[in-house]
Amino acid sequence: MRKLIWAIIILKNSFLFSQAPNLKIYYQKKNDTITLLMDNQDSLPYSIEFFGQPKVENMRSIGEHFKNRYVIEENTSKLRLAQFVPLDIHKPSSFKKIPEFKLTPGNNWKDADEDYIYDLPYAKGRMFAVVQGYNGGYSHKNQNALDFEMPEGTEVLAAREGVVILLKQDSNTGCDNEACAKDANFIIILHSDGTMASYVHLQFNSLNVKKGDKVKKGQVIALSGNTGWSTGPHLHFNCSVLNPQKYRSLRTLFRINDGHKAEYLIQGVNYRKNY
């Protein structure tokens, strides 16, 4: 549902990734030289945007200057952000403060691959109808999202390979009004181009993945359900771009039938997967 997805991606991501426990920004001092460093021991990359410059006293930067934007890849140690030496060796010098910053998952300054062709998110031989399409009148207004009518307990497959960055599976509650939005179980997968796919309304305790897992296209990741703000059992899927400036949902091409044709899915049409 529209407001649910915005809440997950905009609010919850902003909170979690500004406090990523496996990412550290720090400095080291050797003789008179201070080096500002960053570690990322997480299993996914992050984009970081600084608001201003490091605060120093009686120091100047040497080598590559401090930038406002960086991407730090997963499992990276001692990425050098800047290095400082005293301006006047006869006066006290010190590093005062790291500037405020914002973190988001992935490389959010890449161009999204809007021509990427996704697999239908269910098993070979199955066929399901799109009951609400892009910019749908019920809950997809101004959002490029799809709802597949799908019985509870249907295997949900990853439509594209990526890394699991957020999930929830502890709810067994659903209803047909917005009050239940917070109760939806979901998986969010980060793709290599910085886009993210959301799979929502999943069955209680049915996830086959955990945060940080790398998943393959076509891998079973969960079972469909009816949790959260939902008028009936279905799978909500949408793909989005999140960067420090803007959230944008994307229309996604899907392989249909035997897999030799790709198109944007249309509300009211049944789509069989024979690949």
Side-chain angles (χ1 to χ4, degrees):
M1 300 302 180
R2 178 173 178 264
K3 292 185 179 179
L4 169 65
I5 297 303
W6 275 78
I8 291 170
I9 294 180
I10 300 298
L11 302 178
K12 195 167 185 179
N13 279 9
S14 178
F15 173 76
L16 290 178
F17 293 115
S18 66
Q19 305 179 48
N22 295 315
L23 192 141
K24 180 171 67 170
I25 302 172
Y26 59 101
Y27 68 87
Q28 291 181 339
K29 184 174 183 179
K30 184 176 182 181
N31 300 322
D32 289 331
T33 301
I34 289 178
T35 305
L36 184 61
L37 301 164
M38 182 161 53
D39 294 347
N40 177 19
Q41 299 306 313
D42 214 334
S43 55
L44 60 146
Y46 290 94
S47 296
I48 182 166
E49 182 178 27
F50 289 97
F51 303 105
Q53 294 287 310
K55 187 176 181 180
V56 296
E57 181 179 347
N58 186 35
M59 303 199 83
R60 62 180 177 87
S61 64
I62 60 173
E64 187 173 351
H65 291 291
F66 182 82
K67 297 180 290 188
N68 290 106
R69 292 179 174 182
Y70 293 88
V71 174
I72 182 165
E73 300 296 336
E74 64 269 27
N75 303 314
T76 295
S77 297
K78 296 189 174 181
L79 174 67
R80 190 164 77 181
L81 305 180
Q83 203 162 37
F84 303 91
V85 295
L87 274 170
D88 185 342
I89 61 173
H90 301 295
K91 296 180 179 179
S93 59
S94 62
F95 187 96
K96 293 290 189 181
K97 186 178 180 182
I98 296 169
E100 296 293 322
F101 61 88
K102 180 178 180 180
L103 286 169
T104 50
N107 184 343
N108 293 300
W109 296 293
K110 281 184 177 180
D111 290 330
D113 182 2
E114 299 192 39
D115 295 321
Y116 184 90
I117 299 174
Y118 292 75
D119 280 4
L120 292 167
Y122 41 86
K124 180 178 179 179
R126 304 302 301 269
M127 181 173 69
F128 298 107
V130 174
V131 292
Q132 187 177 193
Y134 300 130
N135 197 31
Y138 178 66
S139 61
H140 292 177
K141 293 177 182 177
N142 302 313
Q143 184 188 180
N144 290 314
L146 299 167
D147 285 344
F148 296 92
E149 188 173 41
M150 188 176 289
E152 293 187 55
T154 301
E155 288 186 335
V156 175
L157 279 57
R160 181 176 178 177
E161 64 283 350
V163 179
V164 177
I165 60 171
L166 277 176
L167 51 78
K168 173 182 168 62
Q169 65 170 338
D170 60 357
S171 171
N172 56 12
T173 301
C175 68
D176 62 358
N177 65 70
E178 191 176 350
C180 289
K182 66 184 185 304
D183 298 316
N185 296 322
F186 62 86
I187 297 172
I188 298 179
I189 295 177
L190 172 69
H191 308 138
S192 60
D193 62 350
T195 59
M196 295 179 287
S198 301
Y199 304 76
V200 187
H201 307 299
L202 304 175
Q203 193 174 75
F204 168 72
N205 204 27
S206 72
L207 276 59
N208 293 332
V209 295
K210 61 184 183 298
K211 183 176 179 286
D213 280 358
K214 293 184 177 180
V215 300
K216 298 178 181 179
K217 178 188 281 192
Q219 179 179 331
V220 177
I221 57 174
L223 301 179
S224 65
N226 192 27
T227 58
W229 182 15
S230 176
T231 58
H234 72 285
L235 173 70
H236 173 107
F237 175 92
N238 82 301
C239 188
S240 61
V241 178
L242 175 67
N243 63 38
Q245 286 75 39
K246 186 179 180 181
Y247 166 90
R248 182 165 63 99
S249 62
L250 304 176
R251 298 176 76 213
T252 41
L253 287 164
F254 282 90
R255 292 199 297 155
I256 61 171
N257 299 329
D258 60 4
H260 293 113
K261 181 182 178 182
E263 64 180 46
Y264 297 110
L265 305 189
I266 300 171
Q267 182 172 318
V269 176
N270 290 278
Y271 292 93
R272 182 177 295 279
K273 184 178 181 181
N274 288 327
Y275 55 86

